[in-house]
Amino acid sequence: MGSYSQMPDLHEGCLPPFLNEEAFPSKGGYIAGRLCSNITGASCCLPCPLTDWVYPDNFTTATQSADWINVAGMVGCAFLLLSWIVLPVEKTHRHYLSICLTVAVVFMNLGFIIPLAGKPEECYNEITPHGQDSSSICAASGAFLLLGGWGGVMWIFLRALSLHLQICWQMVVGRNYMWFSQALGWGIPAVGLTLLLVFSGVSFRFGQTCHINHENSLADFWIPLLIFAGLTVVVQFATFGYCIKVYLASLADSGQSTEHSGGGPSYTNSIRTMTPRQAYRRVRRVIQLQWRGIIIVLVIIADVIFFSIVFVFLDNTVEEIKTDPTKALSWITCLAAHNGDKNACLDLAAPLVVGLPVVTAVLILLAMNGLWLLLILSRWSMVTGWYEWFAGFGGRQNKEFVSVDARMELKNDPRSYEMLDRDSTAKNETILTPSSAMSPLSPGRKTPDYFGRSAPYRPHQRSFSSPRAPHNVHFDMVDAYNSYPEPPAPTHTSPSASPQGYPDYGNMNPLGMNRIDSEKEDARYSPSNYSPNKGPGHVFI
């Protein structure tokens, strides 16, 4: 930083580079973010921003590099979310625990990307940083960062709890657990974000991204966050311990077998009935199925705990300097002696703050969360799925529902069943039908040509019909109220007996309506000719 001797009206009894607090308004920005001291009598404040005086000039470069890593992580998360939305489930193996965790990491990335794109002013005036009330970019970046941190911790905890219930308690986490996870995974972060914005707030304190203020921050953010992070660690290591216990107990009980020789039920899931090899296979199967979730839990929870410890330590150090400025007296004296040359006093400022390598590591680890999700949750099947999707979208796939046989030349292929006219030279061509194709070697049987232009009619031996033109048949009108009996039983004669080609039915046409003499009818149905069968107990009246 340059010399401040050109602004005498702002010093008013303060040694450069410090500025007199009374020269600035008492409202606007985050007033509690000023770093002031009254060692010399007047209230002298360090110019804003604070990081420009305690870190070297490459601090801005380091923070911007971490922000660009957040951009890469955002691209990775967007790829995962789009894959889960567009591609089928057999390509992505999506799960709501993975989807919600990725959304939480997206919120965290937005907390760093928004100020990178907006390039906001960190200071309201020369000694006052911007807060959520004076900068909309600060409010948005801080809200997204804290919401993403809360959401990431909660969904990591729910994922570890789901794994613990499945392995240790052999419970099937279903729809009820899903709704419970949605309520807890988003409800607690929403409530926590509301409380911390009301009782603590955010401001530019650590680079271009707004962070939570010191006031009430332990009660409404850091302690609850670390409690759930600690529970996640406990649950995760309890699951590991159970797996090791199962394996060791099975090794100690190697004399027993899972094969049941008695007549009672067999409990194959019990440790006491599991051989060492089976126990090893069970633990290995669990690790193979859940290794992605285990790694994600360990990586993100380590990042959150590391970031929490570092930022709480940095926050407490700044507050201690505000409360007791004598702890930074040597550094303040050095700045006043060198007329505000910070590079000459960086060695004295190092014990008061977290080192730049540690700060850079924290920011990069937070930015890497999106890339970790991409590396762990992505599958090669997603790449092939997108290739197939773009191939289908571009029209490379044949979408016509056309039979394969339709592409053949029907006249040249004997397998065609199209009813088409044939040439005269093709009348003697052997026609391949399904029946002939099934029994090509059956001798003495030929399939008729049903597909030719004309085919001979071959009536059945006992058929009484023929494909002739209909002849004139005369019908005699009779009384509609007369009852006609059934025709007499036919007398089979030679077909040649009738000139019409019908068997002889006693001068009756079986296909026509014939007149029956009333005398013959009365004689046939007279009571004297009716003799029913008489059985025991039958009385005929």
Side-chain angles (χ1 to χ4, degrees), residues 107 119 189 197 224 262 302 317 353 355 373 426 454 541:
F107 290 154
K119 300 184 182 302
L197 289 179
T317 302
V353 295
L373 291 180
S454 62
I541 299 175

Side-chain angles (χ1 to χ4, degrees), residues 423-435:
D423 299 335
S424 60
T425 58
K427 290 184 178 180
N428 297 327
E429 181 182 357
T430 302
I431 304 300
L432 183 62
T433 62
S435 59

